[in-house]
Structure formats: C-alpha cells, structure tokens
Amino acid sequence: MNMHHEMSHDEIARAKLAALRCEHRDLDEAIAALSAQQLTSSLALQRLKKQKLVLKDQIARLEDEITPDIIA
C-alpha cells in the first residue's frame, strides 16, 4: 500500500516556524559566544544581530499566519 500524505499549508507553516525558531536560538548562542570573546569583530556581531532580527520578523509573520483571527 502506498500511503502518500501531503502536508497541509498549516503543517508546512508550523514546520518552518519550528526551524526558524531553532535557527534564531542558534544565532542567539553564536552572538553570546562572540560577545564573550575579547577580540570580537563588531561587524560580524552586527551581521549576526541583523540576521537574528530578520528571523524574528519571519517568525512573527508565520505566527500571525497560523493563528486564526478572532473577531470579538
């Protein structure tokens, strides 16, 4: 039997959200480690922080997409 299950849009969004959150945590750890070093490149640190902010925005957009609008 060939059981082929296509992921729904919601399942795809949730999987992507989990991956983005993991990448965000990894960047957070990399920033902390780089900040702790004596000879830290401020440019490298700025790039990581900018990348982290981009991820945060992507996470927020996906969360908004997944969360249903509730009209009160």
Side-chain angles (χ1 to χ4, degrees):
M1 239 179 5
N2 188 6
M3 300 278 280
H4 183 59
H5 173 70
E6 297 249 346
M7 290 178 71
S8 70
H9 175 72
D10 195 45
E11 291 172 323
I12 293 169
R14 288 183 192 281
K16 182 157 179 80
L17 184 59
L20 288 174
R21 285 181 175 153
C22 182
E23 190 175 345
H24 188 268
R25 273 191 306 273
D26 290 346
L27 274 175
D28 205 26
E29 291 172 7
I31 289 168
L34 196 58
S35 295
Q37 291 179 0
Q38 296 272 331
L39 301 171
T40 300
S41 166
S42 62
L43 183 58
L45 199 55
Q46 285 176 334
R47 286 181 179 161
L48 288 176
K49 287 181 178 182
K50 185 174 181 177
Q51 189 177 357
K52 186 178 165 193
L53 284 175
V54 169
L55 283 174
K56 185 177 178 182
D57 289 343
Q58 290 175 343
I59 289 168
R61 274 195 300 271
L62 270 176
E63 286 174 339
D64 287 346
E65 187 178 310
I66 291 171
T67 307
D69 291 334
I70 300 174
I71 301 172

